[in-house]
Amino acid sequence: HLKASGLACLQERMFSFIFDRTQELEGSFQVILTEHANINKPVFQENVLEVWLNGQKLIPEEWYVNEIE
């Protein structure tokens, strides 16, 4: 099992790899990640567009829950 610090290091390396590759491709490649990692580095924070926590969801409940009248 990885300790939290080891996992954070792996996440940071993975995201750095993804950011580096997309920058190399100069906008010809888009990456959409659905990950709850919150790396406190400017390059990561500047690229987070949505935070799906605290009730905010990628797919809103009203899309799939029918109201019972």
Side-chain angles (χ1 to χ4, degrees), residues 18 21-23 25-33 49:
I18 293 167
R21 298 301 80 77
T22 55
Q23 294 230 333
L25 294 168
E26 299 176 341
S28 64
F29 185 71
Q30 179 182 22
V31 175
I32 299 171
L33 296 171
L49 301 180

Side-chain angles (χ1 to χ4, degrees), residues 27-69:
S28 64
F29 185 71
Q30 179 182 22
V31 175
I32 299 171
L33 296 171
T34 56
E35 170 63 49
H36 290 294
N38 190 12
I39 300 168
N40 193 19
K41 300 269 179 153
V43 68
F44 182 83
Q45 294 297 319
E46 291 165 3
N47 287 286
V48 173
L49 301 180
E50 296 286 339
V51 177
W52 297 309
L53 297 172
N54 302 320
Q56 186 174 354
K57 300 176 182 180
L58 174 62
I59 301 173
E61 282 187 17
E62 59 266 15
W63 289 13
Y64 60 90
V65 173
N66 294 324
E67 288 187 35
I68 300 173
E69 297 184 39

